[in-house]
Amino acid sequence: MINLKRIIFGLCTFSLILILASCGTNNTDTTTGNESKPKEEKTITTKLEVKEDGNATFTIKNETNEEATLTYSSGQEVEYQLLDNEKNIVFTYSADKVFVLMMSENVIQPNEEVVIQLELKTELAEVPAGSYTLIAWSAAKELSDKKQEIAYEWAGK
């Protein structure tokens, strides 16, 4: 019975030490007494730009210090849509396309950029001229929530 009490006492003491060790950490620089600034988290960014000729580019940049692997479930790298002033979808890039169905990966090195050309002048041939919103995003599983949106003036054919 004595051994069981020692074991329970030891476990309680060990648990208390673990709890106390995990508490009390703060973000204070002890040499100056100032709060240290949280580090800015570097990520993979996306950017959508419209060129003067009416076409656009979608850029993926690895702003981290490590390789980043992007996973695609098909041969499609990017998706984009054109919305009218009432937010109705006027055009979807993939609507009339067929892509190879295969898993693939693209490794992007630190500070590397991948620029994807959006041939809007060709793709939007049947869309009437007007003011629209262009929304684009990567088809990579890791970036599907990083949609970019920009005002787009389409001159028509």
Side-chain angles (χ1 to χ4, degrees), residues 57-146:
T57 58
F58 184 79
T59 305
I60 301 169
K61 183 175 183 182
N62 180 2
E63 294 185 351
T64 70
N65 296 324
E66 299 177 1
E67 286 183 344
T69 302
L70 302 179
T71 308
Y72 296 89
S73 60
S74 73
Q76 183 179 8
E77 291 182 294
V78 68
E79 177 68 284
Y80 59 90
Q81 294 179 322
L82 203 61
L83 282 63
D84 64 16
N85 292 332
E86 288 83 40
K87 302 294 180 193
N88 297 312
I89 299 171
V90 176
F91 176 84
T92 300
Y93 171 67
S94 64
D96 62 350
K97 311 239 177 336
V98 177
F99 299 95
V100 173
L101 292 176
M102 65 175 200
M103 294 295 291
S104 65
E105 292 181 343
N106 184 12
V107 177
I108 303 176
Q109 300 301 317
N111 296 312
E112 181 181 0
E113 284 186 348
V114 175
V115 179
I116 302 166
Q117 302 295 323
L118 307 182
E119 301 295 331
L120 300 176
K121 290 175 68 175
T122 304
E123 294 293 335
L124 302 177
E126 302 301 318
V127 175
S131 297
Y132 296 96
T133 300
L134 177 63
I135 301 173
W137 63 95
S138 173
K141 178 178 75 171
E142 297 82 1
L143 299 177
S144 62
D145 62 336
K146 292 189 181 239

Side-chain angles (χ1 to χ4, degrees), residues 22-47:
S22 65
C23 295
T25 58
N26 62 23
N27 211 14
T28 303
D29 182 350
T30 57
T31 58
T32 64
N34 296 330
E35 292 285 325
S36 60
K37 295 178 184 173
K39 291 183 180 177
E40 196 172 301
E41 186 176 325
K42 294 182 178 185
T43 62
I44 299 173
T45 60
T46 58
K47 180 171 61 173

